[in-house]
Amino acid sequence: MMPAASDLKIVTANDLLTGDVVYLAPDGGWSREIAQAEVLAGADLAAARLSAAAAQPGVIVGAYLADVAATARGPAPVHFREEFRAKGPSNYAHGKQVEQNNV
Amino acid sequence: MYKYNDFDAKFVARRNAEFRDQVARRIDGRLTEDEFRPLRLMNGLYLQLHAYMLRVAVPYGTLNAAQMRQLAMIADRWDKGYGHFTTRQNIQFNWPKLTDVPDILDSLADVEMHAIQTSGNTIRNVTADHFAGAAADEIEDPRPIAELLRQWSTDHPEFQFLPRKFKIAVTGSPNDRAVTRAHDIGLRMVRNAGGESGFEVIVGGGLGRTPMIGKVLREFLPKRDLLPYVEAIVSVYNLLGRRDNKYKARIKITVHEHGIERIRTLVEDRFAEILGRFSGADQAQLAAIEAAFAPPAYIKAPTEAFEAALERDPVFRAWADTNLSDHRNPDYATLSISLKAHGKTPGDASSDQMRAMADIAEAFAHNELRVSHEQNIILPHVHKSNIPQIHALLREAGLATANIGLISDIIACPGMDYCALATARSIPVAQEIAERFAEMKIEHDVGPLKVKISGCINACGHHHVGHIGILGLDRAGVENYQITLGGDGTQDAAIGARVGPGFPADEIVGAVERLVDAYLRLRTSRDETFIETYRRLGMAPFKAALYPQVRADAA
Ligand code: SF4
């Protein structure tokens, strides 16, 4: 089944120094948790935030917009690629899932 | 083993210092990402899904114990305690931090290793038969040629910006273990009627989006002409190869579009033109390299302990059956260490395992290890009397899996667990297939069967040449796996054919099981392998087994 094309977006990228997946937060900083990402409704807002993010090349690499769904726990990935990015690899408990399990 | 000369060492040190400065300039903002990206790629540093990834070259897959230990040290100090051995006979570290990479490169240089030309549109790490210098069926050790090509291609000023990446593989044996027919240039050592050794030169093979089996450009090339001839091929490609479309830029497309005849004419012309420039210096260089690859000082000792262990210990015997190969010295064997423990990640080794392998190589295997393109580690030269003890040590290290060449000896690329280009995961599929067949305990009965899995059309997992190939795709936002059958990476190279619609992740293992069941039913005897049965009967019975529902619906 085709997931519904989402109108809700977030800005995501990789951290310049560690490569870790990061999300643009409402305060303009970067969070490592997708749930903390700023949810962007509407193409104009999304494009504006993306270009603001791209203007921080000293912090992040490769910013882009990803689709999300709104949930009670905050924005959640729609596509499986973003699910893996938000969690870490499936063959080892490495990456974000380690910190998430410790919460 | 080849030792860096002064020039090699200085070159690597200079490149590392340069890259250290480039990293610093990227971090303080003097370089933009657009400027930095090609520079980091020239040094093997990728940005993947969760982190940076550093790809370290293991030229023609050959390592000594000190190098393997250093890789273990790097894994512990700057990564997460393991490394991933790849189908290009390289090793990848999945979690380095950008700021640590210059130090990692320096520690690689300490053991004569580097990450140069493991990316970018250059001539990549030259791969070779992992049994080189040991195999019973070999004409000559192909590694001196591979080393000569490495020296010639490293930082070659004309070939740093080719239309696309360029991969060369070389084998000294008629039995092709280096997949030479799926490379931009494949070199297969042959003898001519006069008994002189030379190369069959194959060009334009490759997997990826448009898989092609290479074509023979020259049936017999005398060894002394190798470098000028290869240079002629690369320079013809450099001019003729397409730069307008990334997907049409590999030499396989150049050969396809212009035809092998035209390429041959151009290469022969260019060869004639440049031959004079190769004054024989390359031959002197080759002679020096060959001396560095002299066979080890074989020991002489009785082999009864080995024969006795085969008699006594069924576990040892089962492992010996799959993991040992004939050596040119009858008192020796070539030992394959499987990095495919059932349920583990194909090609991964922990730092402890790397150290265990290094210790074994140093104590019992003339200090030599190889990385195979099938993502295992090879001890090319082991005296048979030492094998029982090696086996015991491997068991302690969790490295005694008896499955070389069997269904669980799966090649799998990193897929969407790590790779930024992936369309689906490959590692969990490999893990599940291996576990399922381990549970059923039938893989030794099934016999030789090559399963290869790629997480996208780039085909790093060589799925096109798997007897059973699996390609992970993204179908409308869901992982989907397409099966190809009948591929072959040996001297009888063939591209597998797609059987039909793909399977979702939770059905792919069952699908493979149905194929294996069909084979067991269809084979004439235990001696007929999966690929032989497939060749005899064609796809139809396998297709029927794969899609029983379709058949039932049609009935
Ligand atoms: S085949 Fe695709 S997914 Fe797998 S390693 Fe290569 S590029 Fe990545």
Side-chain angles (χ1 to χ4, degrees):
Chain A
M1 274 248 306
M2 190 84 178
S6 173
D7 293 332
L8 300 180
K9 308 270 183 199
I10 54 169
V11 176
T12 180
N14 291 82
D15 180 76
L16 172 66
L17 299 184
T18 63
D20 196 3
V21 174
V22 290
Y23 303 95
L24 189 66
D27 65 0
W30 295 89
S31 166
R32 279 158 212 270
E33 288 293 316
I34 190 168
Q36 315 277 317
E38 181 187 17
V39 180
L40 309 165
D44 292 347
L45 179 61
R49 284 293 194 276
L50 179 60
S51 60
Q56 303 184 37
V59 186
I60 51 97
V61 183
Y64 65 92
L65 295 171
D67 292 342
V68 286
T71 74
R73 300 197 51 203
V78 173
H79 190 275
F80 60 87
R81 185 176 195 270
E82 291 306 323
E83 235 172 85
F84 301 148
R85 287 182 80 241
K87 203 169 84 185
S90 50
N91 61 332
Y92 297 111
H94 286 161
K96 293 189 186 305
Q97 55 202 329
V98 183
E99 295 145 39
Q100 289 159 359
N101 286 343
N102 289 342
V103 192
Chain B
M1 207 169 143
Y2 179 76
K3 292 271 309 154
Y4 272 14
N5 58 29
D6 229 32
F7 175 81
D8 295 320
K10 281 194 189 126
F11 169 73
V12 172
R14 199 190 67 220
R15 273 288 290 263
N16 286 354
E18 207 173 79
F19 189 58
R20 185 178 287 278
D21 179 56
Q22 288 160 348
V23 169
R25 285 190 287 150
R26 172 67 182 96
I27 291 171
D28 71 20
R30 279 178 290 161
L31 287 178
T32 64
E33 184 61 20
D34 284 348
E35 289 163 335
F36 180 63
R37 190 170 172 275
L39 300 173
R40 70 167 155 76
L41 289 174
M42 282 172 77
N43 290 283
L45 187 64
Y46 287 73
L47 182 56
Q48 295 287 39
L49 221 48
H50 313 290
Y52 287 95
M53 178 273 279
L54 183 67
R55 181 181 295 154
V56 177
V58 182
Y60 33 90
T62 296
L63 287 169
N64 60 31
Q67 291 172 324
M68 187 65 113
R69 279 194 200 103
Q70 190 80 335
L71 295 174
M73 186 282 284
I74 290 170
D76 281 338
R77 179 152 174 209
W78 290 297
D79 207 90
K80 293 192 188 289
Y82 75 101
H84 176 72
F85 291 97
T86 77
T87 53
R88 297 281 316 147
Q89 300 180 304
N90 291 322
I91 182 169
Q92 295 180 175
F93 292 106
N94 285 328
W95 302 93
K97 293 191 175 51
L98 179 60
T99 35
D100 290 336
V101 173
D103 290 341
I104 299 177
L105 294 179
D106 283 347
S107 7
L108 288 169
D110 289 343
V111 291
E112 305 191 343
M113 295 182 77
H114 60 70
I116 296 165
Q117 282 180 221
T118 58
S119 175
N121 294 335
T122 56
I123 300 174
R124 301 287 188 89
N125 183 31
V126 177
T127 52
D129 180 0
H130 43 268
F131 290 174
D137 61 354
E138 185 173 272
I139 296 172
E140 264 177 49
D141 187 343
R143 288 173 307 152
I145 291 295
E147 174 57 28
L148 182 70
L149 288 166
R150 186 192 72 81
Q151 296 188 8
W152 159 84
S153 63
T154 301
D155 219 26
H156 193 299
E158 195 181 331
F159 302 141
Q160 290 306 298
F161 298 96
L162 293 170
R164 199 79 177 88
K165 58 187 167 185
F166 202 88
K167 299 178 181 177
I168 304 177
V170 46
T171 176
S173 295
N175 291 307
D176 184 0
R177 287 173 291 262
V179 210
T180 57
R181 290 188 170 267
H183 279 77
D184 297 286
I185 295 179
L187 300 166
R188 260 182 85 212
M189 206 173 270
V190 288
R191 285 194 204 283
N192 67 6
E196 184 194 352
S197 60
F199 292 95
E200 177 186 62
V201 181
I202 299 152
V203 71
L207 302 175
R209 187 173 298 264
T210 322
M212 301 229 188
I213 296 298
K215 299 185 176 67
V216 176
L217 190 63
R218 205 20 137 93
E219 272 173 19
F220 184 83
L221 180 75
K223 217 167 101 180
R224 64 175 179 280
D225 289 341
L226 186 86
L227 218 44
Y229 197 80
V230 169
E231 175 149 332
I233 297 173
V234 183
S235 80
V236 164
Y237 164 63
N238 202 15
L239 286 178
L240 212 58
R242 288 177 60 169
R243 290 171 194 266
D244 62 322
N245 182 341
K246 180 174 160 189
Y247 301 122
K248 303 206 163 171
R250 293 290 288 271
I251 194 175
K252 61 188 174 188
I253 306 292
T254 319
V255 172
H256 184 71
E257 287 183 347
H258 294 264
I260 188 77
E261 305 301 334
R262 168 117 185 94
I263 300 291
R264 186 176 293 127
T265 308
L266 290 169
V267 168
E268 293 291 343
D269 287 354
R270 178 78 184 148
F271 173 61
E273 195 182 317
I274 64 177
L275 186 59
R277 264 189 251 150
F278 287 76
S279 53
D282 59 316
Q283 290 308 299
Q285 198 181 347
L286 179 61
I289 296 169
E290 275 172 345
F293 285 95
Y298 293 130
I299 53 168
K300 277 203 187 315
T303 59
E304 284 91 29
F306 172 69
E307 318 292 342
L310 287 178
E311 287 294 320
R312 192 181 60 237
D313 180 354
V315 174
F316 178 71
R317 177 160 206 124
W319 171 84
D321 278 349
T322 46
N323 294 40
L324 297 181
S325 310
D326 289 345
H327 194 280
R328 60 176 54 157
N329 178 333
D331 290 346
Y332 271 69
T334 294
L335 189 160
S336 298
I337 302 172
S338 169
L339 298 184
K340 314 290 176 68
H342 300 98
K344 294 280 169 38
T345 304
D348 278 12
S350 70
S351 55
D352 285 342
Q353 290 177 325
M354 290 185 218
R355 276 184 289 267
M357 293 188 283
D359 292 349
I360 292 169
E362 203 163 54
F364 303 111
H366 300 278
N367 196 23
E368 224 187 278
L369 303 119
R370 306 277 173 78
V371 182
S372 77
H373 79 269
E374 293 182 313
Q375 303 178 287
N376 293 311
I377 299 293
I378 314 294
L379 301 175
H381 315 287
V382 285
H383 190 273
K384 285 182 179 166
S385 61
N386 290 322
I387 296 178
Q389 197 177 345
I390 296 175
H391 180 247
L393 292 167
L394 290 173
R395 277 179 89 165
E396 279 171 30
L399 288 168
T401 311
N403 64 349
I404 297 294
L406 303 183
I407 192 168
S408 60
D409 183 10
I410 298 171
I411 290 186
C413 79
M416 206 184 271
D417 285 306
Y418 298 91
C419 179
L421 302 173
T423 42
R425 288 174 299 175
S426 22
I427 292 169
V429 177
Q431 290 172 311
E432 283 166 36
I433 293 173
E435 279 181 321
R436 174 74 65 89
F437 282 88
E439 269 163 35
M440 295 194 297
K441 296 197 189 321
I442 60 167
E443 64 174 332
H444 287 264
D445 181 32
V446 171
L449 174 49
K450 294 195 189 290
V451 177
K452 303 184 198 268
I453 310 175
S454 303
C456 82
I457 193 74
N458 289 327
C460 303
H462 294 185
H463 66 278
H464 295 116
V465 292
H467 300 161
I468 298 176
I470 301 175
L471 166 63
L473 294 169
D474 173 351
R475 282 278 176 263
V478 180
E479 287 171 293
N480 189 273
Y481 296 89
Q482 214 168 67
I483 292 184
T484 49
L485 288 177
D488 185 347
T490 69
Q491 60 283 0
D492 306 316
I495 301 292
R498 209 187 122 194
V499 194
F503 296 88
D506 58 352
E507 288 176 23
I508 183 68
V509 181
V512 171
E513 211 181 314
R514 289 201 295 285
L515 287 171
V516 173
D517 283 347
Y519 155 66
L520 291 174
R521 233 176 23 246
L522 294 164
R523 69 181 176 185
T524 51
S525 76
R526 276 190 70 132
D527 294 335
E528 191 182 58
T529 62
F530 180 91
I531 188 72
E532 287 163 356
T533 304
Y534 178 83
R535 286 195 186 126
R536 178 170 58 83
L537 295 172
M539 186 188 279
F542 291 97
K543 186 168 184 170
L546 208 48
Y547 303 101
Q549 199 47 46
V550 177
R551 202 175 37 171
D553 290 351

